[in-house]
Amino acid sequence: MRALVVDHTAPAHLSLAEVADPVPAPGEALVRVAAASLNFGEVKDAADPSAPNGTVIGWDAAGVVVQAAADGSGPAAGTPVVTLGTAGWAELRAVPTNLVGTVPDGADLGAISTLPVAALSALHVLRRMGPILGRRVLITGASGGVGRYAVQLAARAGAEVVAISRDPAQEKGLLALGAAEVRTSVADVDRPVFAVLDNVGGPDLVAAFAALEAGGTLINVGRSAEADAVLPPEAFLGTEGRHDRSIRTFFLLADPAAGFSADLTWLAAETAAGRLDPDISWRGPWDRYAEAVQALVGRRLRGKAVLEIG
């Protein structure tokens, strides 16, 4: 089969190559990939000199099952699916069935491919916040992939969403997705918030922690600032009644045995029905991967980029 593999001699550190077909384990389905979406983290990992040449990467992919799992788990052959795992930027992917969600017939598999990392992360972080109905939720990096899904899901859960995007041009779009207010800086937030989903880290994390009300929680998802977060001693004093605040970390695949099938199936249905907007800002055939990667690394994309396979 053909696949996108790590190639440190290429400008994007990737190239199309012929590789061996995957051999699924008993609990894995074999999927013919129709579309894959890009995440900043995996593109950055591919450029790491320690990544071996020839490695197939890719976390998010959607397609059709061509061989059901031998152990009887998961969907039958012919079922359209969305998948999370590794080695997704390829014509075929073997994936554990607990990381496979079914997709409504006729759905746009390119749009569905944007869900696994971004939408699952947003969904699970918001659940960790507890009840957010009627509460203020701050989302940093709101114009990115995780951020845009988080804005939509938090608004649907009844939160008053405060979205942070450094690009003022994103305000109209974020308001349309459900944000109650959009700021270009956390420093501009004028009232305390119940919880924070932080995609940025660095100084934004410090400022967002200061914006928490008593008992509030900040959950860090990403570190796009690539800078240290240095909290001053007074951040922990709990002055002005703001005590019992916490900072939590998040990693989607912290528990490899965790199953996401039900969540992926629900997210796919919501997207297919038009109730979730994948907000694809770049889409094209996978032989244009270098163009997509350069736009992503250069921070010229808002929302998601999708490669159409085959």
Side-chain angles (χ1 to χ4, degrees), residues 14-92:
L14 293 167
S15 64
L16 277 169
E18 292 285 336
V19 301
D21 290 357
V23 178
E28 294 182 333
L30 186 64
V31 175
R32 183 166 297 280
V33 177
S37 67
L38 282 66
N39 296 285
F40 184 83
E42 63 202 345
V43 171
K44 183 180 178 182
D45 289 348
D48 189 321
S50 66
N53 281 319
T55 303
V56 182
I57 64 171
W59 300 333
D60 298 347
V64 177
V65 176
V66 294
Q67 181 181 316
D71 67 359
S73 63
T79 305
V81 293
V82 56
T83 65
L84 170 66
T86 58
W89 296 354
E91 291 176 319
L92 292 169

Side-chain angles (χ1 to χ4, degrees), residues 190-208:
D190 56 3
R191 289 188 290 130
V193 298
F194 169 73
V196 177
L197 186 157
D198 175 41
N199 289 297
V200 179
D204 275 20
L205 183 153
V206 177

Side-chain angles (χ1 to χ4, degrees), residues 27 58 80 109 124 169 245 256 289:
L109 291 177
H124 281 258
R245 297 173 297 161
Y289 63 88

